[in-house]
Amino acid sequence: MMIEMPQDVRFIIGELNKKGFEAYAVGGCVRDSILGRTPNDWDITTSATPFEVKNIFRRTVDTGLQHGTVTVLIKDQGYEVTTYRIDGEYTDHRRPDEVTFTRELSEDLLRRDFTINAMAYNDETGIVDLYGGIQDLEEGVIRCVGNPDDRFDEDALRIMRAVRFAAQLGFSVDSATREAAAKHAPELSQVSAERIETELTKLLISDHPEKVVDMYELGITSIILPEFDKMMETEQNSPYHMYDVGRHTVEVIKNVPPTKVMRYAALLHDIGKPQCKTTDDKGVDHFKGHAMVSEEMSSKILKRLRMDNDTIRDVKKIVRWHDYGISGVITKKSVRKMLSSMGEQYFGEYLDIKRADMKGQSDYRLAERQEVLSNIIRFHDEIMEEGNALSIKDLAVNGKDIMDLGIPKGPKVGETLSYLLERVLEEPTLNEKSKLEDIIKGL
Ligand code: ATP
Ligand code: MG
């Protein structure tokens, strides 16, 4: 089988060959090429030592010399070139105590996590598949190279990687690999939050985010996200629901667009429900105030995962507002206030989660809920069309105007602007300079 390699990759392999070294494209790019998917990046493995690689190419970066990795720069593109290596003992379930370089490709492939990730390719040799990677690709199986028990003992992150690849590729995890994953899951507590977040994010934005349930079954979430286990164990005895909180959450994750923000918002939108649950005397469950609790919990969880601040901010917004429109009378005024508090820029995300949320509910009074949502959309569109003020910067007066009317510089200015916004949200026609000045004069 031939794989179409980018020109730069052929060039790097060719230059290494000219100096008498072996070199191959390896890992994810070989796997994805065989599957007809577009590789994220092209990694190269070689018999040359980092020092030898640096001598051959004009522009290189020392990415991880102790692990044998040099980045070769071609135009503005970087390619990781890593020396064949054998990983030493893993005493911390995370990374090898030491790595040694080797001139044997087979030894390098042996240290890799899964058979489908342990294949190498160059145009001369073709595919090197020593551990049954092609067969596992054909059968849709994630299987460790070698003894899964040892492989997960070495690096517990591989447990999450197994489920992540299953989710990206729509594969299943081989039973021996699964069994070992469940056994070693507790060791994930020793893996850094950053590495865990990377794998969880890749799983969530994949085509099969429902595999998060595999993470639950394997005991992974009980270590990295015990709050999720609580959702899986919380029934919802309510005519509006047909799933427990966990299965409902999985439905919502599947039904929002596959972006990081939306998938985390879906994962966390009901995370506060277990602790908000009350049961009335008819036996019906209620979850009053759960959106607010979910927002607080989302913040804590995402910080724990070392998530970037922009994502945390956006997820919190969506979680906080996902339940708006579920009860109470919706008027144009209430939608205006909602848009002002939430930020109109989140309205699209609000609709995304709302629609997905409904898909994860029962049909009970569904038409009614859909009608409420279409009213919200109609009011939103009118508000935008009319250009109603939604924030202080939309007001017809600014801080300077207010000070010119005798309000002293300081917190009073901001308070006055907030008060004016409140009035204008109630009655948009007040947003004219003279009318607002009259209000200030009357204070
Ligand atoms: P992606 O599409 O996410 O980039 P990938 O397979 O390229 O998938 P990387 O994390 O980029 O995954 O790693 C590149 C290769 O390095 C893998 O294909 C695998 O051979 C090896 N590898 C990466 N992480 C590990 C690990 N924790 N244990 C063993 N081998 C690993
Ligand atoms: Mg990769």
Side-chain angles (χ1 to χ4, degrees), residues 28 40-41 43:
N40 274 337
D41 43 32
D43 296 324

Side-chain angles (χ1 to χ4, degrees), residues 8 11-12 15-16 44 50-63 65 69-81:
D8 292 351
F11 169 77
I12 294 169
E15 291 301 296
L16 286 158
I44 292 156
F51 178 75
E52 288 162 340
V53 173
K54 285 172 61 163
N55 265 335
I56 293 173
F57 298 97
R58 207 155 49 85
R59 291 191 303 140
T60 61
V61 181
D62 295 352
T63 311
L65 281 190
T69 304
V70 173
T71 298
V72 173
L73 291 167
I74 307 222
K75 280 160 264 154
D76 53 358
Q77 184 67 42
Y79 297 89
E80 290 199 350
V81 178

Side-chain angles (χ1 to χ4, degrees), residues 114-119 128-139 141 143 145:
F114 305 111
T115 59
I116 61 167
N117 288 346
M119 291 181 279
V128 180
D129 175 22
L130 304 176
Y131 306 106
I134 290 179
Q135 190 180 342
D136 285 341
L137 277 184
E138 278 166 1
E139 288 172 11
V141 174
R143 185 196 316 274
V145 173

Side-chain angles (χ1 to χ4, degrees), residues 165-289:
F165 285 116
Q168 286 180 322
L169 304 173
F171 283 18
S172 56
V173 181
D174 165 73
S175 65
T177 295
R178 243 186 117 80
E179 208 174 293
K183 176 175 162 198
H184 289 281
E187 288 147 29
L188 276 164
S189 63
Q190 295 174 51
V191 173
S192 77
E194 288 84 354
R195 293 177 83 206
I196 286 174
E197 183 264 308
T198 303
E199 295 304 324
L200 181 60
T201 300
K202 286 184 175 178
L203 179 144
L204 287 174
I205 64 175
S206 74
D207 283 350
H208 296 279
E210 69 277 9
K211 298 264 184 195
V212 68
V213 175
D214 285 41
M215 293 240 237
Y216 166 71
E217 287 167 1
L218 291 172
I220 298 172
T221 51
S222 91
I223 306 299
I224 65 156
L225 195 63
E227 298 88 346
F228 184 80
D229 290 33
K230 288 256 161 43
M231 289 202 288
M232 292 298 287
E233 291 147 16
T234 302
E235 299 289 335
Q236 313 193 82
N237 183 18
S238 148
Y240 292 99
H241 283 285
M242 53 185 171
Y243 299 120
D244 58 52
V245 179
R247 319 268 156 198
H248 162 74
T249 295
V250 171
E251 288 305 305
V252 179
I253 297 172
K254 281 197 298 193
N255 285 302
V256 295
T259 63
K260 183 168 173 178
V261 165
M262 285 314 301
R263 289 281 165 94
Y264 272 101
L267 174 73
L268 298 170
H269 78 288
D270 278 349
I271 200 89
K273 267 191 173 177
Q275 73 184 62
C276 293
K277 178 168 164 171
T278 55
T279 306
D280 67 22
D281 44 17
K282 294 191 190 72
V284 175
D285 295 332
H286 301 275
F287 303 92
K288 276 222 175 65

Side-chain angles (χ1 to χ4, degrees), residues 26-29 31-32 38-41 43 80 85 87 90 94 108-109 111-114 116-119 151 154-158 161 164-165 168 195 198-199 202:
V26 71
C29 59
R31 175 198 69 222
D32 289 341
T38 311
N40 274 337
D41 43 32
D43 296 324
E80 290 199 350
R85 63 175 223 224
D87 293 345
Y90 288 72
R94 281 184 298 186
D108 181 83
L109 296 179
R111 72 163 173 95
R112 293 175 184 271
D113 46 9
F114 305 111
I116 61 167
N117 288 346
M119 291 181 279
R151 307 323 304 280
E154 289 166 356
D155 179 4
L157 186 73
R158 291 173 185 157
R161 285 173 61 86
R164 181 263 276 196
F165 285 116
Q168 286 180 322
R195 293 177 83 206
T198 303
E199 295 304 324
K202 286 184 175 178

